[in-house]
Amino acid sequence: MDIIFNKVSHIYQPNTPFEFKALENVSFHIQSGSYVAIIGHTGSGKSTLIQHLNGLVKPTSGEVKIGDYVITPEKKLKDVMTLREKVGIVFQYPEHQLFEETVEKDISFGPQNFNIAQEVVQKRIPELLKAVQLPENILQRSPFDLSGGQMRRVAIAGVLVMDPKILVLDEPTAGLDPRGQKEIMDMFYRVHQEEERTTILVTHSMEDALKYADHVIIMDHGKVYMEGPPLEIFKDQEALNNVGLDIPEVIQFLNKLESKFHISIPFRGQSVEQLGKEVAEAFKRGDKSE
Amino acid sequence: MSSFIEFKHIHFKYQQGEDWALKDVSFHIEDNEWVAIIGHNGSGKSTIAKLMNGLLFPQEGEIRVQDLVVNEETIWDVRKKVGMVFQNPDNQFVGTTVVDDVAFGLENHGIPREEMITRIDNSLRAVNMEDYYNHEPHRLSGGQKQRVAIASVLAVAPELVIFDEATAMLDPKGRATIMETVQQVRETKNVSIVTITHDLNEVTFADRVIVMNEGKVWFEGTPREVFKQHEELQKIGLDTPFVTQVSRVLESKGINLVKEPINHKELMDELWTLYSIK
Ligand SMILES: Nc1ncnc2c1ncn2[C@@H]1O[C@H](COP(=O)(O)OP(=O)(O)OP(=O)(O)O)[C@@H](O)[C@H]1O
Ligand SMILES: Nc1ncnc2c1ncn2[C@@H]1O[C@H](COP(=O)(O)OP(=O)(O)OP(=O)(O)O)[C@@H](O)[C@H]1O
Ligand SMILES: [Mg+2]
Ligand SMILES: [Mg+2]
């Protein structure tokens, strides 16, 4: 299922004194099966954009296509459930998607809505808990009596259980501890590849965009500012700085080595281990400043 | 220096029959000190924050804020001294507009009208939200909500400010700006700062770090001392910043870094001492 935005604008509270244009003429084409990172400063329109993907908000003008499902300003959404079955969204604040009495009921809520047999869900729960690293004894607790990071994990499990064809993640690592961040992002990537899923990641982590995405869309004040493969986007430090963003830390580090020591190591996605080795070798060989 | 706040052998659980969320937790925070609290999800960080300003009370042990023992009778005095930015800003908003929200805390603290206006302007400007005075807090973007929540507490300028993952939704530049603002406030006023965070670079701003693990204090030390515990940190769900990781590898390849750099500048400076030809 390709995703196509065609000149999409979105205005909040139109025709009131509070009218606010959050998206302006946004167009792009996301190929089925790709992993796209959406980046932009606070308030640039990222969350507004992704809420179009399951019809939570509609364009004020323009058109959104998800596979053959078309969303236009004029028409009422029809069979919106068929869309929501395919597009799973993990919201920016997990509190906004938790509401049941127990964690178990919360995770089962989506499937129930789509008439998936309870036994099927029950069978999947252990594997889901493992994916988000929660213990089984959490199932009977209230999702509101959990720590922030635990809530985040429940919210993620509640979306994964649906096996959505398109998985949309709005800053999914906020609130996760460092191990959780790494392992859950790796898990998303694994399923992305195995299931040929389309994954859309809204993130402030340039590192994650660089590591996982094959395409990056940069937003600025409601408009698409740049798009392309991560390595190309992150070459242009100045362009990013102009819209309040920065390049990934590892590239900053390599740039500093270059300007201070004239050591030039191109970034090709090396691990820290590999990178450190290359840097050490360069220093030892003596390709250093004169 | 004297202690601003002290935890003495604190035990806390949310419900009868549950496990302790905090087990024998003791520490203190000095006047004007900046302490970071880190730890895996569910290790007890937010619980500590809520105990600090009397939203929760321990079953065992004692918490002191200056000369006050924190209990039901003292909470109003404690809350005048201890302000908190919550992990989820929606839990904190009281005003129907951004400007009302910031004003609310100031009114509560009996700040005179003239002074209020200055403080509102300054704090909203400090977080780059000066264009959003009349917006509804609940209709802001995720990061904008966090900025307003921070402004509301900064405006009141309590003696201890707790930031519970208050910058988690900000872009890296936004995060850095807030950290600088906090740094400035601390330099000009006698305030103590507690930052609860999973952002390892944010940890490097602190004077001291308390590492929590399964409800207990696992380690206390400077950021440099904490990040020396590389493998051990990974075992308890944490990690070290990029600079520390690169330094590790460089050292294992025979590059002798002396003082365990914790930011880019320190690393570059050390390499410069070793490899530039004078
Ligand atoms: N309201 C509550 N009722 C019952 N248990 C709770 C409640 N809030 C937290 N807990 C439990 O207490 C423990 C400590 O939670 P706390 O919120 O202090 O963790 P934290 O270190 O802040 O974690 P995170 O990094 O995920 O925010 C966790 O096991 C959590 O499930
Ligand atoms: N419900 C709403 N009503 C009115 N304005 C809104 C609403 N939600 C968002 N906005 C405004 O629209 C703009 C875009 O918001 P959006 O939430 O899409 O930003 P974002 O890129 O996700 O930001 P962040 O990184 O802070 O989460 C912001 O300026 C915000 O104030
Ligand atoms: Mg957002
Ligand atoms: Mg917490």
Side-chain angles (χ1 to χ4, degrees), chain B residues 58-164:
Chain B
Q59 279 86 7
E60 288 174 37
E62 185 182 87
I63 300 168
R64 270 179 178 278
V65 173
Q66 290 174 332
D67 51 353
L68 297 170
V69 175
V70 181
N71 57 35
E72 270 98 346
E73 277 96 73
T74 58
I75 50 170
W76 298 109
D77 294 321
V78 167
R79 284 185 202 157
K80 280 197 185 125
K81 296 173 189 287
V82 181
M84 164 141 108
V85 187
F86 287 84
Q87 195 160 1
N88 178 356
D90 285 313
N91 295 343
Q92 168 169 354
F93 294 134
V94 281
T96 50
T97 63
V98 166
V99 68
D100 279 356
D101 200 77
V102 183
F104 182 82
L106 294 170
E107 273 166 15
N108 260 354
H109 282 73
I111 310 290
R113 175 124 201 106
E114 278 301 298
E115 166 90 18
M116 258 175 68
I117 294 169
T118 326
R119 288 211 198 176
I120 292 171
D121 286 347
N122 287 345
S123 63
L124 283 174
R125 211 171 312 119
V127 299
N128 296 114
M129 286 299 287
E130 63 272 26
D131 294 337
Y132 288 82
Y133 274 54
N134 294 315
H135 285 239
E136 273 178 65
H138 291 284
R139 290 175 181 269
L140 294 173
S141 80
Q144 289 168 344
K145 285 179 182 176
Q146 286 201 317
R147 288 168 190 256
V148 173
I150 292 169
S152 293
V153 173
L154 285 182
V156 170
E159 291 163 74
L160 169 68
V161 192
I162 308 165
F163 294 93
D164 191 354

